[in-house]
């Protein structure tokens, strides 16, 4: 569900602790979640100060909505130029065009939630995973 749409919404924390949301693209490469950002962006300042993030998948409107996914955790700012080039290449981004001064983040995912409709389409089915709590599921009317 997280990869169902290219565009996603990233939440970071501003200096005053209030949330900031930004549009972003994120990709799974080598079984890890990655996203980048242009140098000097506010999200970079937020993540440098506090590496916690939440990411929400794109979604479509009902009645065609099939569900969505949310992940949260902390980022690692990848600075090794060889690793950055390899990941940017795998993302389909031209490192020469975007510049290796662009930020690249590896997401250390600590929580996942997937929400969808049940087969009968009259309830929400929610699956959660966290490091501390493991896997849980619930349904809601």
């Amino acid at each position: 569900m997280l990869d169902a749409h290219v565009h996603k919404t990233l939440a970071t924390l501003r200096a005053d602790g209030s949330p900031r949301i930004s549009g972003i693209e994120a990709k799974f490469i080598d079984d890890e979640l990655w996203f980048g950002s242009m140098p000097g962006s506010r999200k970079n300042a937020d993540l440098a100060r506090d590496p916690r993030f939440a990411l929400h998948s794109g979604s479509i409107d009902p009645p065609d909505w099939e569900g969505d996914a949310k992940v949260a955790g902390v980022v690692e700012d990848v600075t090794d130029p060889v690793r950055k080039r390899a990941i940017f290449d795998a993302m389909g981004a031209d490192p020469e065009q975007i510049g290796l001064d662009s930020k690249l983040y590896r997401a250390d995912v600590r929580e996942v939630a997937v929400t969808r409709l049940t087969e009968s389409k009259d309830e929400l089915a929610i699956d959660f995973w966290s490091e501390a709590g493991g896997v849980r599921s619930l349904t809601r009317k």
Side-chain angles (χ1 to χ4, degrees):
M1 296 249 175
L2 195 63
D3 269 347
H5 303 279
V6 173
H7 294 102
K8 297 159 185 43
T9 303
L10 176 74
T12 57
L13 294 169
R14 299 173 192 250
D16 67 2
S18 64
R20 179 191 318 272
I21 61 169
S22 307
I24 199 160
E25 295 179 18
K27 295 202 179 213
F28 286 98
I29 299 165
D30 297 333
D31 295 325
E32 295 191 287
L33 182 60
W34 299 85
F35 56 89
S37 183
M38 297 184 319
S41 74
R42 299 308 313 149
K43 72 181 81 127
N44 288 340
D46 292 347
L47 292 169
R49 187 176 42 262
D50 186 330
R52 293 178 294 171
F53 76 95
L55 185 71
H56 186 269
S57 67
S59 185
I60 61 174
D61 293 335
D64 297 323
W65 180 78
E66 293 183 9
D68 59 31
K70 299 176 251 333
V71 299
V74 295
V75 296
E76 172 195 353
D77 182 3
V78 177
T79 58
D80 174 50
V82 174
R83 185 69 174 141
K84 284 176 78 169
R85 179 175 298 278
I87 296 299
F88 282 140
D89 282 344
M91 288 177 144
D94 178 358
E96 300 302 322
Q97 188 175 24
I98 62 171
L100 288 177
D101 58 338
S102 292
K103 290 290 192 174
L104 177 65
Y105 297 105
R106 186 190 67 78
D108 180 1
V109 175
R110 300 190 177 171
E111 297 177 16
V112 177
V114 176
T115 305
R116 64 192 181 291
L117 291 175
T118 60
E119 269 191 55
S120 60
K121 301 202 183 287
D122 63 348
E123 292 180 308
L124 283 178
I126 307 167
D127 296 315
F128 302 94
W129 171 85
S130 70
E131 287 182 318
V135 176
R136 308 179 319 236
S137 296
L138 64 90
T139 56
R140 261 195 232 170
K141 284 247 180 219

